Amino acid sequence: MFSSAGFTSPRGPFAGAAPLAHRPLSAIAATTAGGVPQARIQRIIAELIPVLDDLHRDGRICGDISVHSVGMDEAGRAHLMALSGYSRLGEPALTPGYAPFELYTEAPEWPRGPWTDIYALSAMAYSLVTGRRPPAASERRVSETYRPLAALGLAKYDASFLASIDAGLAIIPADRPQTMQAFADSLALPSAPQASQAVPAAAETVAPAVAAETPYTPRRGNFRSFMHAALLGIATLGVSAYWWGRLTKAPEGVITHSESALTQVRVPDTAVSPALSSPPSAAPAPAAVAPLAQWQTSYPTAEEAAAASALLAESAPDDKPAEAAPPPPPPPPSPVRVSINVRPWGEILVNGVSRGVTPPLKTLRLAPGKYSVTIRNTAQPPYRTTLEVKAGKPAMITHIFR
């Protein structure tokens, strides 16, 4: 992670020289006078954060951020002109007012990390607002002389914006935002413009001119497309007419009415037998016999009705009480407080996931179970152990790097 011992800037023969078309903020009159608009300050910080965030992911810090080391290119974008990423070769050159106190000491209680660059960014923003640098951190450690921006009555800036700069200039590292993302969120920074978003805009400005210079020439393919569309329309009309005729035509052989079975009375067999036993010469009327035969075959006999009633009685559900629902699962166990005692400092990883740097991290909350714990310090080999957390019993992670 971030070691407190031996940070430096390996400078080359051209270190400190601005690249072509880069002018430091200290050489721009509009920025040295103070009163730079809030939106412009937010844009400058937003353009520097991605570069610094990459450094922090690699376990390094910049440490040299001020109005002298931040420059603007011809397009108005901000850059860190002399960025090289401090390594463990010596001490960086400190710019009074912009360097936090942890760069003045090697004491383990003053660790260096992303919060170190956050202090310098906040000091640069302070200069752009007021036109002067904040008091040096070494002087503030002895006697606090810093006046918060939120108390200066600067009406052209949002109170939350000024309070975020004041928080970034806290003398104690643990009182500042701990990551660049947290600092960006507190400042409500805009998203940096992407190159992919600028290309469509340029294409939109060029396309009308090209279209105006190119005369229209009719193509043979246009007539062919028109004929295809006309044939497709005719085919669609034909299919629609066919199905319309099929759907609106009256169906054949469909029963349009039926007699209600409730109005029919069953005739006893004795009443039917004389008609059925008449001699062949006395032929019964067809209209009277056919309905009677159909009616007799449409009702079940007494035996069939009794069998159906018995079947229904057997299939009827029993009046048994419903089975009780299973009890709900027990609630998960509450997280257990895990104290951290690592000296001089270390990055805590639980099951391979970083949980922060101690100090300032003092405690964690973990669910009961076994965990693989790794403590990293760039000056020593990493320390690995297994932690068993039991429900209701506080645990502790402790190690001393010697």
Side-chain angles (χ1 to χ4, degrees):
M1 189 64 180
F2 308 96
S3 173
S4 297
F7 280 88
T8 188
S9 174
R11 300 177 179 271
F14 297 99
L20 292 177
H22 283 197
R23 295 180 60 197
L25 296 176
S26 58
I28 303 175
T31 60
T32 56
V36 178
Q38 175 178 325
R40 186 57 184 151
I41 299 175
Q42 289 174 317
R43 175 60 64 179
I44 292 174
I45 298 177
E47 291 168 349
L48 298 179
I49 280 183
V51 180
L52 294 172
D53 201 24
D54 289 342
L55 272 181
H56 300 162
R57 294 176 187 275
D58 195 30
R60 299 184 295 166
I61 60 174
C62 177
D64 185 14
I65 304 174
S66 67
V67 294
H68 309 292
S69 63
V70 175
M72 309 293 289
D73 61 15
E74 293 179 343
R77 288 187 291 268
H79 298 270
L80 289 168
M81 298 188 301
L83 179 64
S84 58
Y86 295 137
S87 61
R88 296 179 291 277
L89 297 178
E91 282 297 318
L94 304 181
T95 304
Y98 300 93
F101 184 74
E102 57 261 31
L103 292 181
Y104 290 87
T105 179
E106 290 294 328
E109 61 267 21
W110 292 89
R112 302 172 185 179
W115 47 88
T116 304
D117 290 336
I118 289 174
Y119 185 99
L121 279 178
S122 301
M124 180 195 68
Y126 180 97
S127 298
L128 298 180
V129 170
T130 63
R132 61 183 183 275
R133 64 175 178 82
S138 56
E139 301 172 1
R140 296 178 58 192
R141 186 74 179 95
V142 178
S143 175
E144 181 61 274
T145 57
Y146 176 77
R147 290 190 61 193
L149 293 176
L152 299 182
L154 303 173
K156 64 183 294 185
Y157 299 96
D158 295 339
S160 59
F161 175 75
L162 298 178
S164 298
I165 297 176
D166 292 335
L169 283 170
I171 195 69
I172 304 298
D175 295 339
R176 306 173 209 150
Q178 298 296 293
T179 63
M180 281 296 169
Q181 183 60 49
F183 185 54
D185 293 341
S186 67
L187 290 174
L189 297 183
S191 57
Q194 302 293 334
S196 59
Q197 298 176 355
V199 174
E204 291 176 2
T205 58
V206 176
V210 175
E213 296 175 1
T214 305
Y216 172 76
T217 55
R219 298 182 179 179
R220 184 176 301 176
N222 294 339
F223 176 75
R224 182 176 300 174
S225 300
F226 173 76
M227 292 300 298
H228 287 171
L231 293 176
L232 181 60
I234 294 173
T236 303
L237 289 175
V239 173
S240 300
Y242 170 77
W243 281 107
W244 177 260
R246 289 288 304 273
L247 294 175
T248 56
K249 182 180 179 181
E252 298 178 358
V254 177
I255 300 175
T256 58
H257 70 281
S258 61
E259 297 180 358
S260 176
L262 295 178
T263 59
Q264 297 178 356
V265 181
R266 184 172 182 179
V267 181
D269 296 340
T270 55
V272 180
S273 56
L276 297 178
S277 59
S278 58
S281 59
V289 176
L292 181 60
Q294 295 177 0
W295 177 82
Q296 289 179 341
T297 57
S298 61
Y299 285 90
T301 63
E303 292 79 1
E304 294 175 345
S309 299
L311 181 60
L312 290 175
E314 293 176 358
S315 60
D318 297 335
D319 295 335
K320 295 181 180 180
E323 295 182 0
S334 302
V336 177
R337 184 174 182 269
V338 179
S339 302
I340 299 175
N341 181 21
V342 175
R343 289 182 294 171
W345 69 273
E347 181 188 10
I348 308 299
L349 292 89
V350 179
N351 289 343
V353 179
S354 177
R355 304 300 293 266
V357 178
T358 178
L361 183 66
K362 295 296 183 183
T363 61
L364 291 175
R365 287 194 173 273
L366 300 174
K370 288 189 177 181
Y371 298 89
S372 173
V373 178
T374 302
I375 306 175
R376 297 193 303 195
N377 183 308
T378 53
Q380 299 290 338
Y383 171 74
R384 295 179 174 86
T385 184
T386 299
L387 175 66
E388 183 176 0
V389 179
K390 298 182 179 179
K393 296 183 179 180
M396 174 176 288
I397 299 175
T398 178
H399 183 68
I400 298 177
F401 286 100
R402 302 184 184 277

